Amino acid sequence: MVILQPAWNRYVLSSAPHPSREDSAQSLKLFSSSVVNTYEFVSPLPHKHLQRTSWNHWQLRDVVLCPSQRPELYSIYRCNVDKYDIQKQQSTRVLGDLDFDPVSLAIGGDFIVAGGQRAELAVARLSDPCAPTVVQSGGSINNMVALDQSHSAQPRRRFRDSAAFIEDGVTNLNIMNNSTMPRLVVCNNDHTVRLMSLPDLHLVTELKFPTAINYAAISPDGTKMCVVGDSNEVFLFNKRGDDFEKIASLTASNDASFSCDWNQGSQYFAVGSQDGYVTVWDIRSQQKMVQLETFQHGRSRGACRNVKFSPSGSIDLLAFSEHTSYVNIVDTRSFEKRQVLCASNPESIPHGDVMDNAVQAAFSMIDSPSMMRQDLQITGLRFAPDSSALFVGLEESILEYTVDKIGRYSFSTSEII
């Protein structure tokens, strides 16, 4: 179901051809005048935190985490993982001088995990991070790591009687394990998603796919998993404990996908693709609700690298970042309203403060990305757990955008059903 206003229509996938290079400037101008900053779900004036981050693989841009209610961020910088105290504006090295440059990061409970380009996994406890365990897992890049704490509700029965089965090209190997510790989810370029026990890193479940796997997201209620990779396929699974059952193979756009996420109610999931599209489905019908296009279009600057739903409260936002410079925020109540943020030159933002009105006005006049002084590489995107802020990672800093929670808790007359 797609309900869109006319100004939105050209940013929804249709049979119309993609704008040509000659039309790009005019297209951007029309988009800027009709959509950019029409709505302000977050303050366009960010706080700047002088915490450097780095992307160690050009397509993997999810290196900033905000894992708890405490005012702290974790991020990757070169061969290190740092913790940044937002209130004190101080940085502490958690994992230092690793033997590899991490490309993926996960934190949950007392565990921290970093994944590398040659199948490395570094696992440590936050309470004692000085001696991480480093192992090889898989045959290639560990594109994504995550911690699943939903498995502890063990299934009364398996989806299949056999421990290993092949269904629609996906091979499922499951080793029964009754541990209540978190599971480590690892997506690898060797076409697998692995669930591993912590802290011993024993294999619990392995899913094999027909393509390299870039990202997997388990729904907040722990009953579903979405998996994306180097094809345009989206693999959807039922999940019960450590057991998985494939229920659908969907099509996103026309290119590889590098991020996916679920909304807090576990009924919507979104996939961000390299050709500049974000597709949202309703799990109840498995039908596409809407397909959005990035501000810069296409698979270069406009490639979607990260997609995140607001995780709590009645905030109802979807944020997605582009390869460079721009972040889009969409109202998920109707998908009719969008705010586009330009991650401006960090030198233009006073340290610990917000951009003044003159600077903000200058950036609001930009009609084309080519008019910017430089393209800024976006390294990560993350909502605070209470949805009060949106953090955008850059190479030289992390920007903090305050969410207008009061505005999001208010409904216009037309929005009340």
Side-chain angles (χ1 to χ4, degrees):
M1 178 183 69
V2 181
I3 305 175
L4 301 171
Q5 295 176 349
W8 226 171
N9 286 346
R10 67 170 307 279
Y11 301 99
V12 180
L13 185 64
S14 67
S15 58
H18 192 281
S20 66
R21 182 178 299 272
E22 291 76 19
D23 294 336
S24 295
Q26 181 65 21
S27 298
L28 286 170
K29 184 174 181 180
L30 290 173
F31 181 39
S32 176
S33 62
S34 62
V35 178
V36 174
N37 290 328
T38 300
Y39 301 94
E40 288 192 2
F41 307 123
V42 306
S43 169
L45 313 177
H47 290 266
K48 175 184 173 184
H49 299 285
L50 294 181
Q51 174 63 46
R52 302 185 72 181
T53 69
S54 62
W55 49 276
N56 294 326
H57 185 287
W58 68 281
Q59 293 170 308
L60 305 178
R61 307 294 186 95
D62 194 15
V63 307
V64 176
L65 304 184
C66 187
S68 71
Q69 298 292 342
R70 293 187 294 272
E72 56 191 26
L73 302 170
Y74 289 80
S75 59
I76 292 172
Y77 178 60
R78 296 182 178 175
C79 61
N80 311 291
V81 177
D82 297 325
K83 179 176 72 173
Y84 179 80
D85 188 308
I86 296 172
Q87 293 180 342
K88 297 179 180 179
Q89 299 188 23
Q90 294 177 351
S91 182
T92 305
R93 188 132 292 170
V94 180
L95 297 178
D97 297 323
L98 295 170
D99 293 332
F100 63 95
D101 293 334
V103 296
S104 52
L105 180 66
I107 295 173
D110 192 36
F111 291 100
I112 179 170
V113 183
Q117 296 198 52
R118 292 178 174 82
E120 303 96 340
L121 283 177
V123 181
R125 289 187 179 271
L126 289 172
S127 56
D128 183 23
C130 298
T133 299
V134 180
V135 301
Q136 303 289 122
S137 174
S140 186
I141 306 172
N142 284 321
N143 292 315
M144 177 264 188
V145 292
L147 291 174
D148 170 32
Q149 302 190 62
S150 67
H151 78 283
S152 56
Q154 292 293 322
R156 295 182 180 180
R157 61 180 179 82
R158 300 172 61 86
F159 286 120
R160 294 288 187 275
D161 294 332
S162 172
F165 62 91
I166 300 177
E167 182 178 42
D168 295 335
V170 176
T171 302
N172 185 328
L173 170 65
N174 184 278
I175 302 168
M176 293 302 288
N177 189 316
N178 292 320
S179 171
T180 58
M181 296 292 285
R183 293 287 188 251
L184 174 62
V185 182
V186 182
C187 298
N188 194 280
N189 246 30
D190 66 1
H191 298 201
T192 66
V193 173
R194 294 181 176 89
L195 260 68
M196 307 177 75
S197 61
L198 290 171
D200 52 19
L201 294 174
H202 290 164
L203 179 65
V204 177
T205 300
E206 182 178 80
L207 303 173
K208 295 184 178 180
F209 296 82
T211 188
I213 298 301
N214 297 321
Y215 211 95
I218 295 173
S219 60
D221 65 6
T223 65
K224 300 287 189 296
M225 182 172 73
C226 175
V227 179
V228 298
D230 277 357
S231 72
N232 64 352
E233 286 186 279
V234 178
F235 304 96
L236 196 60
F237 291 83
N238 278 326
K239 179 181 182 295
R240 186 182 293 122
D242 293 329
D243 198 17
F244 293 85
E245 178 188 41
K246 183 180 175 184
I247 56 176
S249 180
L250 310 172
T251 301
S253 57
N254 295 313
D255 208 337
S257 299
F258 285 87
S259 185
C260 55
D261 196 30
W262 295 81
N263 77 325
Q264 61 172 315
S266 300
Q267 69 266 40
Y268 304 152
F269 61 98
V271 170
S273 301
Q274 187 165 253
D275 54 1
Y277 289 103
V278 173
T279 310
V280 183
W281 285 266
D282 188 323
I283 185 64
R284 294 164 292 190
S285 65
Q286 296 180 23
Q287 298 296 313
K288 290 181 181 179
M289 296 179 61
V290 66
Q291 190 164 55
L292 312 171
E293 190 173 4
T294 56
F295 176 62
Q296 297 177 98
H297 314 296
R299 67 192 311 273
S300 180
R301 293 182 178 91
C304 181
R305 297 299 183 203
N306 210 325
V307 57
K308 294 288 186 289
F309 282 97
S310 54
S312 61
S314 300
I315 305 302
D316 303 326
L317 295 175
L318 172 66
F320 52 96
S321 60
E322 305 184 18
H323 191 78
T324 61
S325 302
Y326 286 90
V327 173
N328 302 258
I329 306 173
V330 177
D331 179 358
T332 61
R333 296 170 188 165
S334 64
F335 295 97
E336 296 176 359
K337 303 173 183 178
R338 184 196 313 218
Q339 180 181 8
V340 178
L341 302 172
C342 175
S344 58
N345 191 318
E347 296 300 321
S348 300
I349 307 175
H351 176 213
D353 206 337
V354 298
M355 290 188 292
D356 60 29
N357 292 334
V359 173
Q360 178 62 23
F363 281 102
S364 68
M365 296 296 291
I366 295 175
D367 289 334
S368 170
S370 63
M371 294 174 61
M372 296 181 63
R373 286 197 293 171
Q374 62 177 353
D375 284 327
L376 297 181
Q377 301 291 325
I378 296 178
T379 62
L381 180 72
R382 190 72 53 161
F383 279 99
D386 63 357
S387 301
S388 63
L390 178 67
F391 297 97
V392 178
L394 304 175
E395 292 177 296
E396 299 298 326
S397 63
I398 297 176
L399 303 183
E400 177 185 357
Y401 294 90
T402 301
V403 175
D404 180 11
K405 296 185 73 171
I406 295 178
R408 295 305 294 159
Y409 290 150
S410 303
F411 294 84
S412 66
T413 304
S414 61
E415 292 178 308
I416 299 176
I417 299 177

